[in-house]
Amino acid sequence: MEVHPRARERLLDATEDLAFTQGVAATPVDEILRSAGVAPATLYAHFGNKEGLITQALERRLMRWDEVWQSAIDEASTPRERLLAVFPALGRYRMSVPAARWCAFLGVAAESPHPGPQLQKTLASDTQLLTARLKELAVPVVAADHADALVAQLVLVYTGVLGMLLRGMDTERAVGLGLHIAGAVIEAAEGSRR
């Protein structure tokens, strides 16, 4: 007997499959409902509205990203490798989740000029995770007084990689270039410490 995921999970899966590839505004609720095989009442019972569904899909996505990134950090053997682990983690992550044109968080943020409080909080949590973890990992590499500047540069490189994915660059190539550029940025930061 075939096991069907619960309606809530089917809605989240359909949201990732559709809204994060086509865009939130371009994906009608009816299309998500049809793909998930559920009635509108199910969506409203679990998520309240479309924005609630998008918020929960992003939260689930962030949890998955956090796990993949932490695993890459755990596998790294030096402080520098742990700091750079965000790039190979991005490559792994993109292979393990439903496709998105680039970054679901950036895409939703671009399409949501006035997000509700919960969506706004979820969008901010992605940035918070990225910057806080990079800062924590940067301190053993360049010391606390240089960490903020290095993190700002690494976030810019990381975001550039995501932008190149949107422009159609192959994930492996984009991640490889990002890793190379980030390595040079770290070397420059280490050099300025000496």
Side-chain angles (χ1 to χ4, degrees), residues 104-171:
F105 284 85
L106 292 176
V108 171
E111 289 190 77
S112 307
H114 306 291
Q118 191 58 38
L119 180 56
Q120 187 171 357
K121 180 180 174 186
T122 299
L123 292 170
S125 67
D126 175 59
T127 302
Q128 172 65 26
L129 174 65
L130 181 64
T131 56
R133 182 166 295 153
L134 285 175
K135 183 170 182 177
E136 176 187 318
L137 296 169
V139 169
V141 176
V142 296
D145 57 339
H146 291 58
D148 287 334
L150 178 57
V151 167
Q153 293 170 354
L154 292 176
V155 168
L156 187 62
V157 173
Y158 177 81
T159 304
V161 169
L162 295 171
M164 292 311 294
L165 296 173
L166 179 62
R167 291 179 177 270
M169 184 179 280
D170 173 77
T171 299

Side-chain angles (χ1 to χ4, degrees), residues 8-21:
R8 182 179 191 287
E9 293 303 309
R10 290 196 318 267
L11 279 164
L12 291 169
D13 291 344
T15 300
E16 287 205 44
D17 290 343
L18 299 169
F20 296 162
T21 56

Side-chain angles (χ1 to χ4, degrees), residues 11-120:
L11 279 164
L12 291 169
D13 291 344
T15 300
E16 287 205 44
D17 290 343
L18 299 169
F20 296 162
T21 56
Q22 300 175 149
V24 172
T27 305
V29 170
D30 290 346
E31 190 175 347
I32 294 171
L33 293 171
R34 192 170 27 261
S35 177
V38 300
T42 305
L43 181 145
Y44 299 113
H46 286 285
F47 303 103
N49 55 29
K50 183 180 180 183
E51 185 171 291
L53 174 61
I54 298 297
T55 299
Q56 296 256 340
L58 286 171
E59 288 173 0
R60 183 176 78 164
R61 200 167 180 96
L62 184 59
M63 183 184 72
R64 290 175 176 169
W65 161 241
D66 185 21
E67 291 169 359
V68 171
W69 187 10
Q70 187 59 57
S71 176
I73 292 167
D74 293 343
E75 293 168 11
S77 57
T78 67
R80 190 173 194 273
E81 288 175 1
R82 285 190 280 282
L83 180 56
L84 287 169
V86 68
F87 294 98
L90 178 59
R92 281 188 210 165
Y93 178 76
R94 290 198 46 94
M95 302 302 256
S96 70
V97 297
R101 291 180 60 216
W102 61 320
C103 171
F105 284 85
L106 292 176
V108 171
E111 289 190 77
S112 307
H114 306 291
Q118 191 58 38
L119 180 56
Q120 187 171 357

